[in-house]
Amino acid sequence: MDFLLLIGLGAGFFWLRQRVLVLEERVSHLQTELSYRERRSEERPVSEAIPAQRIASEPAGRDPPPTTTSVPLTRREEAAPIQQTEPVRDPLENDMAVPAPEQEPLDEEPAAERGGRFQFDFEDIFGRRLPIWAGGITLAIAGVFLVRYSIESGLLTPAVRVAMAFLFGIGLLGGAEWAFRNPAKVADERIRQALAGAGLATLYAAFYLAGTQYGLIGQTFAFLGLAAVTAGAIALSFRFGLPCAILGLVGGFAAPVLVGGDEANLPLLSLYLGLVTAGLTVTGKSQARPWLSIAALVAGLGWGALLLLSGNPGLAEVLALGLYFVVLGAVLPAFAGAQSFERPLRLGSAFVASAQLALLVDQGGYAPLAWGLYLLLGATLAFLAWRKPELRETGAIAATVSAFLLAQWDGASGMIFASVTAALALVYAGVPLAHVWRKSHAPIDVYQLVAMPLALAAIAYATFGAVGEDLFEPQLALAAAGLAIFPLAGAWKLWADEPARHSSMLLASGAALVLAALLLVTPVWLAGVMASLVFGAVFYVSRVRMDGGALLVIWGAAIASLLAMLVPVEINDEMPRLFGLSSELDQLRAGIRWAAALIPWAVLALFEHRQAARRSAEVLAALLVYGLVAQFLPSEALTWFAALAAIALWFWQHERVAGQVTLLAVAGLWAIAPVAAWLLAGIAALMGDPFLMQEAPNLQDIALRLAPFAIALGAMRLPVPRGNIDLDFDTRWLALPVSFVIIHALFKHVFDIDTVSRFVDFGVAERTIWQALLLASAFALTRPLPRIGPQPWASGGLAILALSHALWFTGVLHNPLFDAQAVGPTPLANWVLVAGVIAVLSALLLRLQIEGIGRIAIDAAIMLVVSFAALGLLRQAFSGSLLIEVPMSQSEDLLRSLLGIVLALAFLFIGKWRAERSWRIGSLVIMLVAVAKVFLVDAAGLEGLLRIASFMALGFSLIGIGWIYARQLRAEPKRETVT
């Protein structure tokens, strides 16, 4: 009780604080304006005169010239003539003046309340207005506390207490009337307003005490007394103005709390609160004060929440509270006159009242009376909205709350639940259907007619249905079919005249309920078939329309058919076959299910006119075709089926691009596993691990997985959209990587290197032959091919691949000079020479196709390959097939140095012959390496004549190379083109 009083005082303090802030801002502005005018008067001498000619030349109605300051002049300053001899007037002299009491009309509200311009006066606000209003509130609280004190102290009998409350209240009203009739003696109208409000609050408390607390009068007399006080509050608000209504609002709703009582009489209290709320709501509308109506409804609904806390209501309490919520949630908001707040007030009141009434139904044990009161709320809202479409939204709110309430009903008997559900359907779906039938509906009626039958059917199944079990449930099916009548009837009525969106939504709702009814009376494995039947019906009805709304319904039915097929019991046995896994299943049943799911998407692929939607349907249709065939064909034939189906669709239905790509992608998915295994083995080989035969795709994967995909890619030319036209994309280029994997895997099977020992014996031979095949392919592609022509890019790519393969695998990872790799027993005629020749030819072929700095890199690669090949041949002459098997002798080491000098001279002659600086630089690099080797390695290990001969040979070689190089530079043109 005290808490609510503190809340009220706190709200008043907050309001006063806001007013003080506004007043401070106003005072600051006025002070700034005053200081500005004082400065201006000081700057301009008082004796300064304005020329008479200038005054005479100014037009009579012309505005004064604009000033350079941003502070505006008051209207009185603009109108006042300029007097040079008069002193400067105080700008606040008239603005802050308080009008005399006798000049203020006693029967009018203050200027701020009448909508006029607010005139601030500190004394008027804090000296005259606020104390009187606070005094009225204080008197009301004093009366209530006086009665409370008498109760707690036991000083007076209950009858005397009530009599004193009546006398005090009547006395206050009498004082207000005396003040009204004697305006000359009581000049301020706020005194009578405060007295009247305090008297009303006291009388509210007195009647409540007499009827509820002490039972001195019967409930009938208490009701009549409260009604009389409410009527008096309404009348006095018209007589005394706004404060009376405010104090009546506060006193009327605060009286039950401040007076208190051990046990409240809920029927009488709800009746009392309803009358208070109704009286103040009507008063607010009559006096054009929408905030009063809003405040009354908010307070009334807040009291409703407090009344619900009493718990365990009886029959009388349920009836009283139910009627109370119906009045506050449906009736009063329609008559509140809240202007711009009318719609939020209606919606908020309907929601709060519906929620409170739902809690009452729950507290009442879902008794028929409680449900009847909730239905009364819906019927009242429907009645009020019959000719006022703006009230239809409140019915939708009540319908939503009723659905949640019905879903919370546990332990309901079937008959009572069916009766309540039928009643809810009639009120919350039947009334919108009636509006639709009369062509007087609003969009909210259509939405409600769509959603409510679906919600009721779903709740009924969740309450009584066997979720997860395949049972025959005709009662629930009959309920779903009956609920489907509502949206289907609305769709039939609106199909020809209304926008497609409304009729299509209704058709979708009805179709969903019909499908639910069919599913409840058929085996679960036929769910997809039932959905396909509903799709057929929807498509037949919508075929002549095919607008946006109808297409949405058709697509929704198709999606439903796809989802209905995903029955866990069946799909768990059917899905593994799509991935080549064996499973036990009834193939006839599986075929029926997949065919039923396929039909809607095939129809959409044929009749959909929107390109993007048609392609989506083609994708799903192609996948379902594959799924249907997978139920019958063995896994070995699925890739061939997908590839051949893609080719056939491209050949006979060239424009069905989405379907072709989908089937091609299915074939590609089958090829992922062998390609991925090949890639993993290739990545490991790049790191140095041998690529053994068993790591490549086996012959079965090549024949059944890779070959079909490659053939499909090579046979098709898919159109690719570019702007407004479609350009054919040659997928044969995509077939090249797959074909490369196939050829490489077959090549691995030819050599059959499946162990490390075989890799040592045949690794160089395998790599060299593979590089020769790449080089031959690159040479072949330099010539024009039938129906294709020359392919320089492909030729260059293969040449790069051959050269890179030789440099990385044979030159770095598995170089016979450092790794155990057999090169052959015969000197010169071995794999070292062949591998070097193939690598050089690859580089030369690539050199013909590039320009600029790329040629320098190719020349460097050639010199590197020749150098290592020469070293390998030299080493093979001393060691045999395995170059690392025999330690290197001193003679071989000296020959290596000599070989370096010979190679340097050879590269120098080539540079001179071709006039290319890159070869000369290469020769110098090799020469420097050979000289460094002789000085740092060879000479350090020699003695005697060998050391002398070594140095002499090296000296003559260096002199000869220097002489040749000098001649080359002298003979070179001054402006040589470096290639």
Short mmCIF file of all heavy atoms in Angstrom, two decimals, residues 36 40 64-73:
data_model
loop_
_atom_site.label_atom_id
_atom_site.label_comp_id
_atom_site.label_asym_id
_atom_site.label_seq_id
_atom_site.Cartn_x
_atom_site.Cartn_y
_atom_site.Cartn_z
N TYR A 36 21.87 40.99 -24.12
CA TYR A 36 22.13 41.46 -25.48
C TYR A 36 21.53 42.84 -25.70
O TYR A 36 22.15 43.75 -26.25
CB TYR A 36 21.59 40.46 -26.48
CG TYR A 36 21.50 41.01 -27.89
CD1 TYR A 36 22.66 41.20 -28.66
CD2 TYR A 36 20.27 41.37 -28.43
CE1 TYR A 36 22.58 41.73 -29.93
CE2 TYR A 36 20.18 41.91 -29.69
CZ TYR A 36 21.34 42.08 -30.45
OH TYR A 36 21.25 42.59 -31.70
N ARG A 40 23.41 46.47 -26.53
CA ARG A 40 23.08 47.27 -27.71
C ARG A 40 22.68 48.68 -27.33
O ARG A 40 23.00 49.65 -28.02
CB ARG A 40 21.97 46.57 -28.50
CG ARG A 40 21.79 47.16 -29.90
CD ARG A 40 20.74 46.43 -30.68
NE ARG A 40 19.44 46.59 -30.05
CZ ARG A 40 18.30 46.15 -30.59
NH1 ARG A 40 18.33 45.52 -31.74
NH2 ARG A 40 17.16 46.32 -29.97
N PRO A 64 10.93 45.83 -40.17
CA PRO A 64 12.21 46.47 -39.85
C PRO A 64 13.35 45.71 -40.49
O PRO A 64 13.24 44.53 -40.79
CB PRO A 64 12.29 46.37 -38.31
CG PRO A 64 11.37 45.26 -37.97
CD PRO A 64 10.28 45.28 -38.98
N PRO A 65 14.44 46.42 -40.76
CA PRO A 65 15.59 45.75 -41.41
C PRO A 65 16.11 44.63 -40.55
O PRO A 65 16.03 44.68 -39.33
CB PRO A 65 16.62 46.88 -41.58
CG PRO A 65 16.18 47.97 -40.69
CD PRO A 65 14.72 47.84 -40.46
N PRO A 66 16.62 43.59 -41.20
CA PRO A 66 17.12 42.45 -40.43
C PRO A 66 18.35 42.82 -39.63
O PRO A 66 19.18 43.61 -40.05
CB PRO A 66 17.45 41.41 -41.51
CG PRO A 66 17.70 42.22 -42.73
CD PRO A 66 16.80 43.42 -42.64
N THR A 67 18.46 42.19 -38.47
CA THR A 67 19.61 42.41 -37.59
C THR A 67 20.67 41.37 -37.87
O THR A 67 20.40 40.33 -38.44
CB THR A 67 19.17 42.35 -36.12
OG1 THR A 67 18.65 41.06 -35.89
CG2 THR A 67 18.10 43.40 -35.82
N THR A 68 21.87 41.65 -37.44
CA THR A 68 22.99 40.73 -37.66
C THR A 68 23.11 39.70 -36.57
O THR A 68 23.95 38.83 -36.65
CB THR A 68 24.30 41.52 -37.75
OG1 THR A 68 24.46 42.25 -36.53
CG2 THR A 68 24.27 42.48 -38.91
N THR A 69 22.30 39.78 -35.53
CA THR A 69 22.39 38.81 -34.44
C THR A 69 21.39 37.69 -34.64
O THR A 69 20.39 37.84 -35.35
CB THR A 69 22.15 39.51 -33.09
OG1 THR A 69 22.23 38.53 -32.07
CG2 THR A 69 20.75 40.13 -33.04
N SER A 70 21.65 36.54 -34.01
CA SER A 70 20.76 35.39 -34.13
C SER A 70 19.66 35.40 -33.08
O SER A 70 18.80 34.55 -33.09
CB SER A 70 21.57 34.09 -33.98
OG SER A 70 22.21 34.07 -32.72
N VAL A 71 19.68 36.38 -32.14
CA VAL A 71 18.66 36.44 -31.10
C VAL A 71 17.45 37.16 -31.65
O VAL A 71 17.55 38.31 -32.07
CB VAL A 71 19.19 37.15 -29.84
CG1 VAL A 71 18.12 37.23 -28.77
CG2 VAL A 71 20.44 36.47 -29.34
N PRO A 72 16.29 36.59 -31.71
CA PRO A 72 15.13 37.24 -32.32
C PRO A 72 14.54 38.29 -31.39
O PRO A 72 14.61 38.20 -30.17
CB PRO A 72 14.16 36.07 -32.52
CG PRO A 72 14.52 35.12 -31.46
CD PRO A 72 15.97 35.24 -31.25
N LEU A 73 13.96 39.29 -32.01
CA LEU A 73 13.25 40.30 -31.25
C LEU A 73 11.85 39.82 -30.94
O LEU A 73 11.26 39.06 -31.69
CB LEU A 73 13.18 41.61 -32.05
CG LEU A 73 14.54 42.26 -32.41
CD1 LEU A 73 14.29 43.49 -33.22
CD2 LEU A 73 15.33 42.57 -31.16
#
